[in-house]
Amino acid sequence: MAVAVGAILAGGGCGEPGRERPEARPAPGAAGALSAEELQARWWAWAASEPYGTNPIADPDGRFCERGQPTDVWFLAGTFGGRAERTCTVPPGTPIAFPLVNSMGEPEDCAEFMRTARGSAALDGTAVDPDRYPGTSVTFEGVPGNAVTSYGGSHSVTACGLWVQLPAAEPGRRTLTISGFSGDFAVAVDYVLLVPEDRTV
């Protein structure tokens, strides 16, 4: 089984492929970051928690951003292919994590995927460097009929990709562009992130 999910900004260039690291670096201003294993396992579990009709990866405009979000990190997604523009309300004080381009499958699938994986990201116009995870063994749970694996239960796979972890965004209207491709897989997402001043808003 090989699944590719990512994001590319149409008309935008791609930056350096990222730095290879066994563990995620602490995001500036954050107490710490998730490890490569925990980040990818949790993100894939999140992605595999919804059917296609309400899946954040298939989200046309941001209406499903809040589906299945954990309380300690806010996940964002690319698409299953093609371009999307999304507006999401992100709780204040919550770190943000997302792939530029990612995949899962057998170790050889990830090796081939990462051979041509490239990506870039910019928050409010400022470039953000991704971390490169060439292959990490992860296990996650999916719900029956989910949009990623189609069947429920436990999945043990090799996950890989270019990843970004950001500290909590300042309140206000933030813009985020994420870009990435591997081989002939390329998708596009531009985000508007609305961060309230207060968690009760």
Side-chain angles (χ1 to χ4, degrees), residues 169-197:
E170 292 294 320
R173 184 182 188 274
R174 313 265 72 91
T175 60
L176 176 68
T177 58
I178 56 179
S179 66
F181 72 88
S182 176
D184 59 1
F185 176 73
V187 296
V189 181
D190 296 340
Y191 276 101
V192 173
L193 305 178
L194 305 177
V195 185
E197 292 280 351

Side-chain angles (χ1 to χ4, degrees), residues 17-187:
R19 298 178 297 278
E20 254 182 52
R21 295 172 182 241
E23 297 290 320
R25 72 187 187 284
L34 300 173
S35 68
E37 179 181 1
E38 185 177 6
L39 172 62
Q40 293 182 97
R42 291 183 63 186
W43 188 92
W44 281 110
W46 172 73
S49 68
E50 293 285 336
Y52 189 87
T54 55
N55 194 283
I57 302 171
D59 192 345
D61 54 18
R63 70 187 71 175
F64 303 127
C65 284
E66 296 183 6
R67 304 287 293 198
Q69 290 285 359
T71 59
D72 60 333
V73 63
W74 192 267
F75 289 131
L76 297 175
T79 75
F80 288 116
R83 182 183 175 85
E85 296 181 3
R86 298 173 182 151
T87 298
C88 301
T89 298
V90 179
T94 306
I96 298 169
F98 54 89
L100 306 183
V101 64
N102 63 332
S103 184
M104 66 173 178
E106 299 298 325
E108 57 269 26
D109 298 323
C110 269
E112 177 61 22
F113 184 84
M114 294 304 293
R115 188 176 61 81
T116 57
R118 301 291 184 273
S120 63
L123 179 65
D124 293 333
T126 300
V128 180
D129 291 331
D131 286 316
R132 184 180 185 89
Y133 301 140
T136 306
S137 296
V138 302
T139 299
F140 65 91
E141 297 288 326
V143 301
N146 73 79
V148 174
T149 65
S150 77
Y151 59 95
S154 180
H155 305 272
S156 295
V157 299
T158 297
C160 51
L162 304 178
W163 287 87
V164 172
Q165 296 187 72
L166 297 174
E170 292 294 320
R173 184 182 188 274
R174 313 265 72 91
T175 60
L176 176 68
T177 58
I178 56 179
S179 66
F181 72 88
S182 176
D184 59 1
F185 176 73
V187 296

